[in-house]
Amino acid sequence: MSRPIVKAVWPLARSAQAAVAAATVADVYRAVTSRAHHLHPQDTSSSAFTTASQLSVYTTMAAVVLFLVWFVRCRRNAQLLSPTPLPGSTPWAVASWLVPVVNLWVPRGLVLDVHRASGPSATEGRDTVLVNAWWTVWIGRAVVVTVGSGLGQGDSSGLLVAGETLNLAAGALALAVIQRVTARQATALETTVAVPGAADLPRPS
């Protein structure tokens, strides 16, 4: 029986990073356009606001899809690299990002599981802090947006600045997490693949 080919997922990582960056910038543009339209509707047309909102939605959808595809591929690699099985199934690993309430804490643990299973690292402590910082900022941004919507102050200057500052920070940290997990797997794949019969596995080009 042929062995699975294990490769670092750099093309997917770069695509996910580009999509996350685009979605982050598009959301800032949407927020600024929304604020301008709210304060000066005569200067900022509703069509401009609609266009900005659609751009944000489309880029966010692309970022979600590409990030999840990257995550699933990394999780599959981690299963092959790790001597012990990762907890949960692949369908659950995907669904946990999409199910309300569950997606507030479960995905963070799944990313850490993939990270730890991807091989030893001299910077593991810092990498764990990176994942935790990303998740904390991301949840903080969601809280600010939810509170602003609940108070009917989604376009207020203070909440907009706070929300979009957290949005930019979460986007930058997401790029760093994608980079670190992919790089860790690439390093592990350059040395050894810890699965039974792994010596027969083709090495990544």
Side-chain angles (χ1 to χ4, degrees):
M1 182 182 296
S2 62
R3 299 290 183 181
I5 298 176
V6 187
K7 292 184 179 180
V9 291
W10 282 119
L12 272 176
R14 296 296 183 235
S15 297
Q17 287 175 316
V20 168
T24 301
V25 173
D27 190 75
V28 173
Y29 175 60
R30 176 206 57 77
V32 172
T33 304
S34 174
R35 173 69 173 167
H37 180 63
H38 179 75
L39 293 177
H40 307 288
Q42 69 278 10
D43 296 329
T44 306
S45 67
S46 59
S47 62
F49 170 63
T50 299
T51 299
S53 297
Q54 290 177 337
L55 179 63
S56 178
V57 169
Y58 295 150
T59 54
T60 297
M61 290 175 60
V64 168
V65 170
L66 287 169
F67 181 89
L68 287 177
V69 172
W70 167 82
F71 176 70
V72 169
R73 287 289 303 276
C74 282
R75 191 174 189 277
R76 186 181 71 180
N77 277 1
Q79 289 277 21
L80 297 171
L81 288 165
S82 175
T84 58
L86 268 66
S89 63
T90 298
W92 166 244
V94 173
S96 66
W97 293 87
L98 307 175
V99 178
V101 182
V102 172
N103 60 12
L104 294 177
W105 79 90
V106 172
R108 168 196 162 275
L110 294 174
V111 172
L112 285 174
D113 287 339
V114 169
H115 182 271
R116 291 165 182 157
S118 295
S121 171
T123 62
E124 172 141 10
R126 292 199 300 273
D127 292 343
T128 300
V129 169
L130 172 63
V131 173
N132 288 333
W134 164 56
W135 200 252
T136 299
V137 172
W138 177 253
I139 295 300
R141 192 257 179 181
V143 169
V144 169
V145 171
T146 301
V147 169
S149 299
L151 295 176
Q153 298 177 10
D155 290 325
S156 72
S157 179
L159 287 175
L160 183 144
V161 171
E164 293 311 313
T165 297
L166 290 171
N167 176 48
L168 289 169
L173 289 168
L175 299 184
V177 168
I178 294 170
Q179 182 72 20
R180 288 302 307 142
V181 172
T182 308
R184 188 170 188 179
Q185 289 195 351
T187 299
L189 290 168
E190 288 174 358
T191 55
T192 183
V193 180
V195 294
D200 300 328
L201 287 174
R203 293 298 179 85
S205 57

